[in-house]
Amino acid sequence: MGTLLGAAEIREIAARIGVNPTKKLGQNFVVDANTCRRIVKIADVRSDDVALEIGPGLGSLTLALLEIAASVVAVEIDKRLADELPITVASHGFDVDRLHVQNEDALTTQTLPAEPTVLVANLPYNVSVPVLLHFLEKFPTIRSGVVMVQSEVADRLVAVPGSKSYGSPSVKATWWADLTGAGNVGRQVFWPTPNVDSSLVRFVRHDPAGSERERQVTFRVIDAAFAQRRKMLRSALSQLFSGEAEQAILSAGIAPTARGETLLLRDFIAIANTLEQ
Ligand code: SAM
């Protein structure tokens, strides 16, 4: 069994490989081994899992995943970090053959060297929602996962209709999965200390709410409804339905005077179906 990374070593590796954490890439590294173990536990990682980590950084969470999972697939945009990760893994007593590092922008990932079964990541904050939706869409073998995101984003991901945080991420994510809040993480466990709070979101995949074609149309309706969230649906969707929005919304069984923020995914699907007819 290997050992995990501590705060001093994290700074030391970063200095040695010339990494000065940048805001642009959301580089706030977890320097507390207990936090990493806690995340892996909440994710319910099993010994036969292929864990997918997006943005492994210096490897804090990667090592905690290697304590339990069969293997880890890690997608990291920063080449210096991607190159160093196998070295850190080996020097901490883990079998480097259980790690596959892919150096690319996770938003563009189309293939992976192994089929991931669980997603566990401290996501780069500026792209956390698109990255999560991208992997839910492209990699249906992911059965569940835990992601750490900015607290406001976590609120949005788990929000229910009618609440202030409810928006397009909340509805879109439920196309593939059930999402729940899984606790907060203090700022002091990061280096450098971020100026926002962080929270964990757990998800469990279910059957997709419809076909890929239905999803694309439904997501267009969702985008239009939330692009102008203060507007009633009949005007927010008027362009999409080229003037026929009122009738289309009515025939989907929804009040044209309602706002997107009160609708469930199934309501958006009903409207999308009328668009298709
Ligand atoms: N997992 C590490 C940890 O918990 O200490 C690092 C997390 S840090 C919040 C986010 C990581 O994602 C950084 O290593 C950063 O370089 C990487 N990253 C940023 N944008 C990315 C992208 N578009 N695709 C892949 N990795 C990205």
Side-chain angles (χ1 to χ4, degrees):
M1 183 54 77
T3 54
L4 299 196
L5 278 167
E9 195 186 352
I10 284 173
R11 284 186 178 77
E12 202 181 286
I13 301 172
R16 178 162 48 74
I17 65 172
V19 165
N20 203 355
T22 70
K23 257 205 156 123
K24 187 167 159 261
L25 291 178
Q27 291 175 332
N28 298 96
F29 304 112
V30 176
V31 295
D32 176 53
N34 286 333
T35 301
C36 295
R37 288 205 173 101
R38 177 182 152 214
I39 294 171
V40 172
K41 196 162 192 295
I42 294 171
D44 198 19
V45 175
R46 305 191 300 226
S47 61
D48 58 350
D49 269 322
V50 176
L52 169 65
E53 186 184 3
I54 298 151
L58 291 158
S60 322
L61 190 54
T62 320
L63 299 186
L65 284 166
L66 285 167
E67 283 192 320
I68 312 280
S71 63
V72 173
V73 175
V75 181
E76 171 60 59
I77 198 169
D78 187 326
K79 186 168 186 321
R80 298 162 305 174
L81 296 173
D83 288 347
E84 188 65 17
L85 194 57
I87 299 168
T88 305
V89 162
S91 71
H92 278 255
F94 294 95
D95 178 2
V96 80
D97 292 341
R98 292 169 53 218
L99 173 75
H100 309 275
V101 187
Q102 197 151 302
N103 178 209
E104 67 182 3
D105 180 345
L107 282 169
T108 66
T109 298
Q110 300 296 333
T111 58
L112 290 169
E115 288 190 340
T117 54
V118 64
L119 168 62
V120 185
N122 172 12
L123 290 173
Y125 286 2
N126 42 351
V127 288
S128 54
V129 169
V131 163
L132 176 62
L133 297 178
H134 176 75
F135 280 83
L136 281 170
E137 179 194 339
K138 300 281 178 199
F139 297 95
T141 55
I142 298 170
R143 107 185 151 257
S144 63
V146 169
V147 291
M148 174 142 66
V149 295
Q150 200 178 319
S151 297
E152 286 97 72
V153 174
D155 290 345
R156 268 187 260 148
L157 282 170
V158 305
V160 293
S163 65
K164 211 175 80 223
S165 308
Y166 190 67
S168 93
S170 338
V171 204
K172 287 182 177 177
T174 57
W175 184 273
W176 295 284
D178 292 321
L179 295 92
T180 45
N184 301 323
V185 177
R187 294 181 190 199
Q188 73 285 357
V189 305
F190 296 95
W191 171 73
T193 310
N195 49 20
V196 291
D197 291 317
S198 302
S199 299
L200 301 170
V201 172
R202 178 164 154 74
F203 67 86
V204 177
R205 187 186 284 277
H206 51 61
D207 287 338
S211 69
E212 180 55 17
R213 171 75 198 152
E214 285 170 316
R215 185 188 69 74
Q216 285 172 11
V217 183
T218 304
F219 278 26
R220 277 170 54 209
V221 175
I222 294 168
D223 286 337
F226 286 109
Q228 308 179 45
R229 61 182 291 141
R230 309 235 159 267
K231 287 200 177 165
M232 294 176 186
L233 287 172
R234 67 176 172 216
S235 66
L237 303 184
S238 61
Q239 261 193 325
L240 203 56
F241 285 91
S242 44
E244 312 277 308
E246 176 128 16
Q247 195 46 48
I249 298 163
L250 265 179
S251 59
I254 292 151
T257 51
R259 291 182 172 80
E261 60 204 33
T262 63
L263 264 55
L264 287 163
L265 175 62
R266 65 162 179 265
D267 302 324
F268 287 107
I269 295 173
I271 297 173
N273 286 341
T274 69
L275 189 60
E276 280 288 80
Q277 278 156 18

